[in-house]
């Protein structure tokens, strides 16, 4: 009898898997876009940014050849060139704002400006927003020295160049909702540009689906250890959301979902999408918001309740980060282009592009995703409501063991409810909506329902 029951369970599992398994669908247009990313273009951009001498947030704003003002106007002019091929959908501006002296890294009241390019969506009923950023400002050893050369090739010319290259490619395509490309300022002085944008997004109730921050993605060699790694890039994501409510905390504790914040779901999404579209690059999921002693421009977005992550190279080189340009005891210091790995940077840029494009064409996420807990059973019952807007072809049920960091199995279904032969006590699940070309929404972790 026991043998018969066991064989029956195995047969049921086999039938379920074969009836619901879905071969991964890759969109040829995303593959084409990824192939258009040019390491040479980005190297040219970085060398131009370096040519401004310093891009310190509080440096010269009047000169046309040196300082943050010249760099801002050049980036805006490049966005304007890209806009010519966008059928009027890409528009650029410098979003100026005033920061009060803080007694720390802002000596006097100062006018700062984020350089923004907005790619307007084609569906007026879809209010979703995607944001990708890099920080335009640079620094040398003394964070308050506004005149010394601070080339900022990798930190963060790499993030700005990647963002600009992605905007150049994406603005030639149509997406249903808005995508914002932004070179923020004030990062080295205290994340001021990102905070201004995040506060504005919250005040104006932007429906920000995801924010991707790229900060130092162009170096593959670590100092000290001498490790070289051009196959991995780190994606940092927060655990418990900054603005978690008391009700949300109660659900988190009840489901043990400490490792399933919205930002963690975005990080896993990036890993899955990169595996699908980018060769020879692995997303290394780092389960902390950022590195020790430092911060990034995704943090103000997290603090305002948005889903945000940071891309950062696998190994940092502190000889070329926050250093005066100098030759000392045979070692060249300074953040210079000759120490960058532009092929590595190209792959990281491709990961960003594939993620933004896949999300940009995806349906909205399913709503009211729940897991039934009214009965003791070795199966799991998941239910949800179809999202509004773009038609959904089906849904991916994502499955992983509770000790796993990444989704291990995907099951495709057409209905908005499913019973699967995996115990809710032994696995974590999530549900994402998918269209016919395989564009998937961000996954939603289920809450218990009776």
């Amino acid at each position: 009898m026991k043998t018969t029951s066991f064989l029956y369970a195995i047969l049921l599992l086999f039938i379920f898997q074969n009836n619901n398994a879905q071969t991964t669908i890759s969109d040829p247009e995303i593959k084409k876009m990824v192939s258009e990313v040019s390491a040479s273009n980005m190297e040219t951009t970085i060398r131009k940014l370096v040519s401004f001498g310093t891009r310190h947030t509080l440096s010269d704003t009047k000169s046309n050849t040196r300082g943050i003002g010249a760099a801002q106007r050049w980036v805006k002019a490049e966005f304007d060139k890209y806009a010519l091929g966008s059928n009027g959908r890409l528009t650029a501006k410098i979003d100026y704002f005033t920061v009060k002296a803080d007694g720390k890294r802002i000596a006097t009241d100062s006018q700062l400006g984020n350089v923004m390019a907005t790619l307007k969506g084609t569906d007026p009923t879809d209010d979703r927003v995607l944001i990708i950023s890099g920080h335009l400002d640079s620094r040398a050893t003394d964070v308050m020295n506004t005149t010394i050369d601070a080339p900022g090739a990798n930190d963060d010319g790499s993030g700005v160049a990647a963002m600009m290259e992605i905007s150049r490619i994406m603005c030639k395509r149509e997406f249903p909702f808005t995508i914002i490309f932004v070179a923020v300022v004030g990062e080295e002085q205290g994340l001021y540009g990102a905070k201004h944008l995040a506060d504005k997004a919250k005040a104006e109730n932007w429906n920000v689906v995801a924010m991707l921050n790229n900060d130092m993605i162009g170096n593959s060699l670590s100092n000290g250890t001498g490790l070289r790694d051009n196959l991995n890039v780190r994606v940092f994501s927060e655990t418990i959301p900054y603005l978690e409510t008391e009700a949300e905390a109660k659900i988190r504790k009840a489901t043990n979902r400490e490792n399933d914040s919205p930002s963690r779901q975005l990080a896993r999404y990036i890993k899955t999408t990169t595996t699908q579209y980018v060769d020879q690059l692995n997303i290394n999921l780092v389960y902390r918001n950022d590195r020790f002693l430092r911060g990034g421009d995704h943090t103000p977005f997290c603090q305002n309740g948005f889903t945000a992550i940071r891309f950062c190279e696998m190994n940092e080189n502190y000889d070329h980060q926050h250093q005066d340009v100098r030759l000392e005891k045979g070692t060249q210091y300074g953040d210079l282009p000759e120490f960058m790995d532009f092929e590595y940077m190209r792959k990281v840029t491709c990961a960003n592009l594939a993620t933004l494009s896949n999300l940009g064409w995806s349906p909205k996420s399913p709503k009211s995703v729940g897991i039934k807990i009214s009965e003791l059973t070795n199966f799991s019952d998941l239910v949800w409501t179809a999202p509004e807007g773009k038609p959904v072809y089906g849904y991916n049920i994502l499955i992983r063991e509770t000790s796993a960091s990444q989704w291990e199995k995907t099951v495709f279904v057409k209905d908005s409810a499913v019973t699967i032969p995996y115990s809710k006590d032994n696995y974590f699940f999530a549900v994402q909506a998918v269209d016919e070309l395989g564009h998937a929404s961000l996954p939603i972790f289920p809450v218990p329902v009776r």
Side-chain angles (χ1 to χ4, degrees):
M1 181 66 71
K2 289 183 179 180
T3 300
T4 302
S5 299
F6 176 75
L7 292 175
Y8 175 76
I10 293 296
L11 177 62
L12 182 62
L13 181 61
F14 176 80
I15 293 172
F16 176 83
Q17 290 177 334
N18 279 273
N19 285 344
N20 294 278
Q22 181 192 33
T23 302
T24 300
I25 300 174
S26 294
D27 182 354
E29 187 63 19
I30 294 180
K31 288 185 175 181
K32 184 176 185 299
M33 295 167 72
V34 165
S35 72
E36 294 174 15
V37 175
S38 168
S40 176
N41 280 354
M42 291 187 289
E43 180 177 358
T44 299
T45 296
I46 287 171
R47 291 189 180 277
K48 179 63 177 180
L49 292 173
V50 169
S51 75
F52 295 112
T54 177
R55 303 190 307 278
H56 191 287
T57 295
L58 305 178
S59 62
D60 193 331
T61 60
K62 303 300 183 183
S63 170
N64 287 323
T65 58
R66 185 176 179 86
I68 189 66
Q72 289 169 322
R73 291 187 290 275
W74 179 80
V75 172
K76 200 273 188 177
E78 289 299 293
F79 280 144
D80 288 338
K81 291 179 184 177
Y82 306 158
L84 297 176
S86 72
N87 293 322
R89 290 176 297 106
L90 186 74
T91 56
K93 68 177 182 178
I94 302 177
D95 180 22
Y96 291 107
F97 59 99
T98 299
V99 173
K100 298 291 185 180
D102 62 4
K104 299 176 183 178
R105 295 188 176 187
I106 302 291
T108 61
D109 294 359
S110 303
Q111 185 186 66
L112 310 185
N114 294 330
V115 189
M116 297 175 58
T118 301
L119 183 62
K120 186 177 180 181
T122 57
D123 184 352
T125 67
D126 196 332
D127 67 349
R128 288 178 291 174
V129 177
L130 291 173
I131 299 175
I132 179 171
S133 79
H135 71 83
L136 186 60
D137 58 305
S138 63
R139 60 166 287 187
T141 302
D142 179 2
V143 72
M144 297 305 292
N145 191 329
T146 65
T147 59
I148 193 174
D149 280 354
N154 187 41
D155 184 14
D156 182 34
S158 63
V160 173
M163 174 273 298
M164 292 175 66
E165 179 73 353
I166 293 168
S167 69
R168 179 186 69 84
I169 295 168
M170 293 188 72
C171 75
K172 300 173 184 176
R173 278 81 175 179
E174 293 186 351
F175 296 87
F177 58 95
T178 298
I179 303 171
I180 297 175
F181 309 90
V182 57
V184 297
V185 296
E187 194 271 353
E188 303 289 5
Q189 307 307 114
L191 311 180
Y192 282 104
K195 185 178 186 303
H196 167 74
L197 184 58
D199 289 348
K200 182 176 183 178
K202 184 177 181 181
E204 297 180 0
N205 294 314
W206 294 5
N207 181 16
V208 178
V209 176
M211 185 273 184
L212 309 184
N213 169 35
N214 285 264
D215 194 347
M216 296 190 301
I217 58 169
N219 164 69
S220 59
L221 176 65
S222 68
N223 69 311
T225 62
L227 294 174
R228 184 178 291 279
D229 186 349
N230 66 354
L231 298 176
N232 291 279
V233 64
R234 294 178 292 179
V235 170
F236 289 86
S237 59
E238 68 175 358
T239 173
I240 299 170
Y242 276 91
L243 295 185
E244 181 183 65
T245 66
E246 187 175 334
E248 289 168 340
K250 186 176 181 180
I251 293 175
R252 171 176 56 80
K253 293 173 183 178
T255 58
N256 298 113
R257 60 174 294 179
E258 284 76 12
N259 204 21
D260 283 272
S261 68
S263 293
R264 290 279 159 88
Q265 302 295 11
L266 173 58
R268 294 189 183 105
Y269 185 99
I270 293 169
K271 184 176 180 70
T272 300
T273 306
T274 299
T275 299
Q276 185 175 358
Y277 287 104
V278 185
D279 294 329
Q280 302 296 323
L281 184 68
N282 172 61
I283 300 298
N284 189 290
L285 299 175
V286 182
Y287 286 155
R288 49 170 45 109
N289 184 61
D290 213 323
R291 304 144 308 146
F292 286 108
L293 300 178
R294 290 158 296 170
D297 290 314
H298 59 301
T299 298
F301 284 87
C302 293
Q303 292 171 336
N304 276 282
F306 297 118
T307 300
I309 57 86
R310 173 186 180 146
F311 278 89
C312 189
E313 60 206 24
M314 194 65 197
N315 295 297
E316 298 179 53
N317 195 317
Y318 302 111
D319 291 345
H320 309 303
Q321 183 185 134
H322 297 183
Q323 293 281 357
D324 292 349
V325 178
R326 67 195 191 279
L327 184 64
E328 186 176 293
K329 296 180 179 179
T331 299
Q332 179 66 59
Y333 292 88
D335 191 356
L336 299 165
E338 51 261 42
F339 297 107
M340 294 180 64
D341 183 339
F342 292 103
E343 172 57 20
Y344 173 66
M345 180 180 164
R346 181 195 66 80
K347 292 190 292 184
V348 179
T349 303
C350 289
N352 277 266
L353 175 58
T355 299
L356 285 174
S357 301
N358 210 30
L359 275 176
W361 279 318
S362 73
K364 294 181 180 179
S365 296
K367 300 189 298 183
S368 304
V369 180
I371 184 166
K372 295 182 179 179
I373 60 169
S374 55
E375 297 180 6
L376 297 177
T377 172
N378 286 313
F379 291 78
S380 295
D381 296 296
L382 294 164
V383 295
W384 58 90
T385 302
E388 300 172 349
K390 181 178 181 177
V392 173
Y393 177 69
Y395 303 90
N396 286 335
I397 311 301
L398 307 179
I399 305 169
R400 76 177 198 274
E401 293 190 24
T402 59
S403 60
S405 61
Q406 171 66 357
W407 300 114
E408 298 172 305
K409 184 177 180 61
T410 301
V411 172
F412 177 76
V413 300
K414 297 283 287 186
D415 299 324
S416 57
V418 65
T419 298
I420 54 178
Y422 295 86
S423 170
K424 56 184 172 290
D425 297 321
N426 299 337
Y427 295 90
F428 284 137
F429 308 99
V431 182
Q432 59 184 173
V434 185
D435 70 7
E436 290 183 330
L437 286 175
H439 305 128
S441 72
L442 286 176
I444 302 298
F445 193 91
V447 299
V449 295
R450 293 184 181 276

